Amino acid sequence: MNKILEVSHISKEFGQQLILNDINFSILPGQIYGLLGPNGAGKTTLMKIIISLLEADRGNVSIGQFDLEIQREAALKEVGSLIETPAFYEHLTAKQVLELQAAYLGCQVNVKTILDKVGLKNSDKAVKAYSLGMKQRLGIGRALVGNPQLLILDEPINGLDPQGVREMRQLLQDLAKNENVSILISSHILSEIAQVADKIGIIKEGQLIKEVEMAELNAEHIDLESYFLDQVSFTR
Ligand SMILES: Nc1ncnc2c1ncn2[C@@H]1O[C@H](COP(=O)(O)OP(=O)(O)OP(=O)(O)O)[C@@H](O)[C@H]1O
Ligand SMILES: [Mg+2]
């Protein structure tokens, strides 16, 4: 099967510090890949490189058939992202935020469909009056504009209420299974990742120390939290 994302030999230094060390992994169409790692491991940095917010020192990223360095614009058209806490023009309403994103991408947007998908209510208020969870929902909605084939979601369930967490799980599963969208998601909430991810990658101190299929863990009745903690402490 053709890969939707391929990360090859990515390394990144900040000053003298090696933050990412020769990272290699790929994601298939419709696959949900959970990127796990302790605070400071390099998850956000890696995601920023994949969406071209940061430049790698070495290595290569391909999205669909496009090389990020050579065909940046075409590659990025395939991607929607939410990195850390999303930033918005606070005086805009949710509808305006989504329309602005569509204008930026040069595509059409069905605002109502997206707002329904992310369960954003009272969306006619300006963003400055939104709660944390409402902003998070809007951030995910913005990532969906343009129907991307790949979603990069950095801690997307932060700040969501229990109902929001469940709705997000259902949304991600629906996108992956029914629309063949691929998702790279990071979270410290391992019970959630265990429920949505097909494959797990564990990153520690800038190195991808382990990859495993969730089905493999499930078949062996190993819970993700124990597995993660074992892997992270084993390689200390
Ligand atoms: N702009 C920057 N300049 C210098 N160092 C940075 C910069 N951004 C990140 N770092 C460092 O890179 C390392 C990885 O940070 P990163 O934010 O990628 O970790 P993370 O895995 O996302 O952690 P968390 O789980 O806390 O979100 C950390 O040591 C951090 O201090
Ligand atoms: Mg982070």
Side-chain angles (χ1 to χ4, degrees):
M1 214 186 311
N2 287 336
K3 293 159 183 166
I4 183 75
L5 174 69
E6 180 145 37
V7 170
S8 312
H9 302 295
I10 287 292
S11 295
K12 176 75 184 169
E13 289 170 22
F14 282 126
Q16 301 289 351
Q17 211 188 344
L18 187 57
I19 300 298
L20 293 174
N21 186 358
D22 196 29
I23 303 281
N24 296 284
F25 72 100
S26 57
I27 305 186
L28 298 172
Q31 194 175 39
I32 304 183
Y33 189 107
L35 186 63
L36 308 182
N39 292 134
K43 303 178 296 295
T44 299
T45 305
L46 179 59
M47 288 175 152
K48 284 182 175 170
I49 288 171
I50 292 169
I51 58 166
S52 202
L53 276 181
L54 271 177
E55 215 176 319
D57 296 324
R58 282 175 296 284
N60 184 269
V61 174
S62 301
I63 298 166
Q65 75 238 49
F66 305 111
D67 182 296
L68 186 59
E69 206 173 352
I70 301 166
Q71 298 148 293
R72 183 171 182 271
E73 213 174 302
L76 292 179
K77 269 207 175 358
E78 307 287 332
V79 189
S81 63
L82 168 69
I83 302 286
E84 294 177 327
T85 313
F88 303 103
Y89 292 115
E90 298 259 315
H91 60 283
L92 300 183
T93 64
K95 178 168 185 277
Q96 290 169 327
V97 166
L98 298 178
E99 284 170 348
L100 186 65
Q101 181 72 3
Y104 170 71
L105 293 174
C107 66
Q108 301 290 317
V109 62
N110 186 330
V111 171
K112 188 176 178 310
T113 304
I114 290 189
L115 293 178
D116 284 349
K117 268 189 178 170
V118 299
L120 190 60
K121 303 190 177 70
N122 301 318
S123 53
D124 45 355
K125 290 194 289 191
V127 170
K128 60 178 175 243
Y130 285 12
S131 68
L132 175 65
M134 288 171 75
K135 285 185 183 171
Q136 206 69 4
R137 287 169 190 255
L138 179 56
I140 293 161
R142 184 170 62 182
L144 295 176
V145 174
N147 298 319
Q149 281 309 296
L150 173 65
L151 281 175
I152 308 289
L153 303 175
D154 190 16
E155 307 197 25
I157 50 183
N158 271 6
L160 292 185
D161 57 26
Q163 190 179 346
V165 171
R166 174 187 281 181
E167 287 168 4
M168 200 50 57
R169 185 192 316 141
Q170 290 165 344
L171 172 61
L172 299 185
Q173 286 168 335
D174 175 56
L175 289 167
K177 302 289 166 291
N178 300 327
E179 298 184 33
N180 217 26
V181 173
S182 307
I183 303 172
L184 177 63
I185 178 172
S186 80
S187 177
H188 295 295
I189 305 170
L190 302 188
S191 54
E192 263 316 303
I193 295 294
Q195 290 184 70
V196 296
D198 301 303
K199 191 169 179 178
I200 302 291
I202 299 179
I203 182 166
K204 181 187 173 191
E205 294 169 5
Q207 297 203 55
L208 191 65
I209 57 169
K210 203 80 194 177
E211 281 191 298
V212 68
E213 301 279 339
M214 262 321 294
E216 207 179 305
L217 296 184
N218 291 336
E220 294 177 35
H221 305 288
I222 299 170
D223 91 287
L224 183 59
E225 184 183 75
S226 316
Y227 182 81
F228 172 78
L229 292 173
D230 277 357
Q231 294 300 328
V232 167
S233 54
F234 183 65
T235 53
R236 196 177 288 267

